[in-house]
Amino acid sequence: MKRVSTAIFLVLFTAAAAGCNTVQGVGKDVQKAGEKIEDVAKKK
């Protein structure tokens, strides 16, 4: 489970980092990625 969560986080982080142009944008994208990981963790 931890390995899957880590993989999901890395994929989302990479996509988020590629799609934003500012430090503030990175922060928002990382926050959304963290929320998605929490949602996945709560479902299990």
Side-chain angles (χ1 to χ4, degrees), residues 11-40:
V11 169
L12 291 174
F13 180 77
T14 301
C20 64
N21 294 323
T22 65
V23 174
Q24 184 179 17
V26 172
K28 288 180 180 179
D29 291 340
V30 170
Q31 182 178 8
K32 287 189 185 253
E35 290 171 357
K36 296 294 182 186
I37 292 171
E38 286 180 3
D39 291 343
V40 170

Side-chain angles (χ1 to χ4, degrees), residues 1-2 4-5 8 37-44:
M1 175 65 190
K2 187 173 182 179
V4 173
S5 295
I8 291 171
I37 292 171
E38 286 180 3
D39 291 343
V40 170
K42 287 179 182 178
K43 288 181 182 179
K44 295 205 175 208

